[in-house]
């Protein structure tokens, strides 16, 4: 089969020649002696119009087909300079590979995103989701390419883990124990020695701790895989299962970390603008007007950089506009993050050096003993897209911090070892892959950039 993409990329090679394509009916109409079928073959954002005639013996059968049916069409590709599409196929043969029932849920009218979420197995056949999921695929490729070109080693960190990287207690438990008859210790706690791994285990919230061990061997590594959070946040930006990209770099500090993050985001933007112009134009016209202009500006200008303390001073002046008031020590909420990036800076902004109390145990303590070398990257429309930090590389300081937070040292022995054997300055960050896809497509709900989303109360398909 020839793909529609090949036709668009190289029309001269195919015009006035016989070709065969396979695809699904988007729309079909006929008159007595001929008919038109718009077919999408999934290879390209544009569909292809098929013209068929009553000289074909199965003319009546073709005309009976419903939207959604799968066809294999053979015919001649002819130029149509007068029409909207540059060419069409004059069919000599239309074989119905699989008919479609008349109750096919995707009719030609526009459906709401909410409705399409209820048919996540069929929505990839719509223009919107063709564009979203092709761009999602391209972004993944761009990310690999960015890191591979720079010599980073791709590390596969485990999904089942015995530690809680972010210390937020938002883990999905992994167990083979019988929930009805949980074995108990004398003090009433669950006895995990009877469990599969002989200990308490969960799905990972982050590959960072394992990733750090490889950075201390390869210098520059990245992970790219699924992570899980049992956060009870029913928002447009939280999923229970999402993908994260976590680079980790040795002999590097917070500034190196920010430079890497900024270069990466710009690289991804340029890549997608280059490789998916039809899809990006579609988003710009139908999803988020101004998207292209904004992204091009982001790719060509510096991100803002501000400390948490400075950011709080700015935000406090606008406290009348916020539901949650800001003061030093409070965690920034989405409304504050968006205000900073959308109203104050009007571009992506790195916020650094947060109070230690609102950040994870592994972040490097600053000299003030109050803040840590953390960095969040905030972008318009979303808020936090990246969270990262320079890591605490001093053994004693790390142990002291873990004691303060009552973390069990025996669970983190491997992590402490890194501070014992050739410890280096090092830093890394986590890019939320879905938030990145939202940012680049202008889609405003995380459920619409994940093929089969898992969110609070929702694990369909
Ligand atoms: O800020 P977070 O929690 O950082 C970490 O997990 C670090 N271990 C990363 C590191 O330094 N290696 O999460 C990183 C990013 C967030 O900025 C956000 O984009 C995304 O992951 N994220 C989520 N995306 C979708 N749904 C959720 N529930 C998310 N939680 C975090
Ligand atoms: Mg974070």
């Amino acid at each position: 089969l020839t793909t529609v993409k090949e036709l668009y990329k190289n029309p001269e090679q195919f015009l006035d020649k016989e070709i065969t394509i396979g695809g699904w009916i988007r729309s079909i109409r006929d008159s007595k002696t001929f008919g038109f079928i718009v077919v999408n073959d999934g290879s390209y954002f544009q569909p292809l119009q098929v013209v068929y005639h009553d000289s074909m013996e199965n003319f009546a059968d073709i005309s009976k087909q419903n939207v959604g049916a799968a066809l294999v069409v053979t015919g001649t590709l002819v130029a149509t300079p007068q029409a909207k599409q540059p060419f069409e196929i004059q069919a000599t043969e239309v074989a119905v590979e699989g008919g479609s029932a008349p109750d096919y849920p995707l009719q030609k009218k526009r459906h709401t995103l909410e409705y399409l979420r209820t048919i996540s197995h069929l929505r990839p056949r719509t223009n919107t989701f063709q564009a979203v999921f092709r761009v999602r695929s391209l972004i993944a490729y761009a990310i690999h390419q960015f890191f591979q070109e720079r010599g980073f080693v791709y590390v596969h960190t485990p999904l089942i883990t015995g530690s809680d990287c972010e210390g937020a207690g938002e883990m999905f438990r992994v167990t083979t124990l019988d929930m009805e008859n949980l074995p108990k210790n004398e003090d009433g706690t669950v006895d995990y020695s009877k469990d599969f791994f002989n200990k308490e285990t969960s799905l990972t919230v982050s590959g960072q701790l394992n990733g750090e061990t490889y950075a201390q061997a390869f210098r520059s590594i990245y992970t790219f895989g699924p992570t899980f959070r049992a956060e009870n946040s029913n928002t447009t930006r939280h999923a229970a299962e999402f993908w994260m990209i976590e680079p980790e770099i040795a002999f590097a500090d917070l500034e190196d970390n920010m430079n890497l993050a900024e270069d990466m985001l710009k690289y991804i933007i340029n890549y997608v603008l280059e490789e998916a112009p039809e899809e990006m134009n579609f988003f710009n016209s139908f999803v988020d007007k101004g998207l292209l202009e904004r992204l091009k500006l982001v790719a060509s200008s510096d991100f803002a950089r501000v400390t948490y303390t400075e950011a709080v001073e700015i935000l406090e002046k606008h406290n009348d506009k916020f539901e949650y008031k800001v003061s030093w020590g409070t965690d920034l909420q989405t409304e504050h993050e968006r205000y900073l990036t959308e109203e104050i800076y009007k571009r992506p902004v790195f916020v650094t050096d947060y109070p230690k109390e609102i950040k994870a145990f592994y972040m490097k303590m600053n000299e003030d003993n109050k803040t840590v070398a953390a960095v969040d990257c905030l972008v318009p429309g979303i808020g936090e897209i990246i969270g990262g930090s320079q890591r605490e590389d001093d053994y004693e300081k790390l142990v002291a911090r873990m004691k303060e937070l009552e973390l069990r040292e025996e669970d983190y022995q491997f992590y402490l070892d890194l501070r014992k054997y050739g410890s280096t300055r090092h830093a890394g960050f986590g890019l939320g892959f879905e938030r990145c896809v939202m940012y680049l497509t202008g889609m405003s709900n995380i459920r619409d950039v994940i093929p089969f989303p898992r969110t609070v109360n929702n694990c369909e398909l």
Side-chain angles (χ1 to χ4, degrees), residues 91-362:
T92 48
E93 195 185 333
V94 176
V96 180
E97 179 121 351
S100 175
D103 63 351
Y104 185 62
L106 296 172
Q107 294 306 325
K108 224 189 138 189
K109 68 172 190 141
R110 252 181 110 99
H111 298 287
T112 65
L113 294 173
E114 288 76 11
Y115 169 68
L116 293 171
R117 262 172 236 149
T118 67
I119 47 167
S120 50
H121 57 308
L122 297 173
R123 68 177 180 172
R125 301 182 189 192
T126 62
N127 280 342
T128 303
F129 290 96
Q130 284 272 309
V132 168
F133 291 114
R134 189 179 311 282
V135 167
R136 182 177 163 120
S137 165
L138 287 171
I139 296 173
Y141 191 71
I143 288 168
H144 280 296
Q145 199 161 289
F146 174 82
F147 287 113
Q148 296 283 341
E149 277 173 2
R150 285 160 185 74
F152 284 59
V153 170
Y154 179 27
V155 181
H156 299 107
T157 50
L159 301 191
I160 301 176
T161 174
S163 54
D164 180 359
C165 176
E166 295 306 302
E170 291 166 335
M171 317 264 284
F172 287 102
R173 193 91 345 121
V174 173
T175 180
T176 55
L177 293 176
D178 172 6
M179 287 294 144
E180 305 279 309
N181 299 294
L182 283 177
K184 294 280 171 66
N185 296 311
E186 275 170 15
D187 63 0
T189 55
V190 178
D191 179 6
Y192 285 101
S193 70
K194 305 274 188 304
D195 206 348
F196 188 92
F197 295 109
N198 190 21
K199 68 188 287 194
E200 188 178 356
T201 53
S202 309
L203 293 178
T204 192
V205 296
S206 158
Q208 178 195 324
L209 303 188
N210 298 83
E212 279 185 53
T213 69
Y214 272 62
Q216 297 301 338
F218 288 99
R219 245 187 82 181
S220 301
I221 65 98
Y222 69 107
T223 73
F224 190 163
T227 48
F228 307 87
R229 294 196 187 181
E231 256 167 307
N232 204 358
S233 309
N234 203 350
T235 77
T236 53
R237 300 164 311 109
H238 288 88
E241 180 180 307
F242 62 98
W243 286 56
M244 203 169 10
I245 295 92
E246 296 186 271
E248 192 72 34
I249 43 181
F251 303 102
D253 61 16
L254 196 66
E255 187 170 339
D256 299 317
N257 206 26
M258 287 188 273
N259 293 341
L260 180 68
E262 182 167 338
D263 288 350
M264 177 194 68
L265 287 174
K266 288 177 173 172
Y267 184 97
I268 302 171
I269 292 172
N270 284 325
Y271 184 88
V272 170
L273 291 175
E274 180 81 14
E275 296 295 324
E278 290 84 7
E279 286 82 356
M280 295 307 286
N281 280 328
F282 171 84
F283 294 127
N284 194 54
S285 306
F286 297 107
V287 175
D288 180 357
K289 297 208 164 45
L291 176 74
L292 285 182
E293 199 188 332
R294 213 165 59 232
L295 289 177
K296 282 178 187 156
L297 193 67
V298 169
S300 62
S301 49
D302 291 341
F303 292 13
R305 299 184 183 200
V306 61
T307 66
Y308 168 89
T309 302
E310 290 161 349
V312 166
E313 279 168 15
I314 295 168
L315 290 167
E316 276 177 325
K317 299 199 185 99
H318 302 276
N319 259 337
D320 56 310
K321 301 186 184 86
F322 302 133
E323 185 182 349
Y324 295 97
K325 309 299 165 202
V326 181
S327 63
W328 203 94
T330 55
D331 204 356
L332 299 184
Q333 305 290 326
T334 303
E335 57 173 337
H336 312 130
E337 294 176 343
R338 290 188 58 174
Y339 195 83
L340 274 177
T341 175
E342 289 166 21
E343 305 297 329
I344 305 288
Y345 293 101
K346 302 190 195 313
R347 60 195 158 122
V349 49
F350 288 115
V351 180
T352 62
D353 305 294
Y354 287 73
K356 65 174 179 182
E357 286 79 14
I358 57 174
K359 288 292 177 186
F361 77 96
Y362 50 72

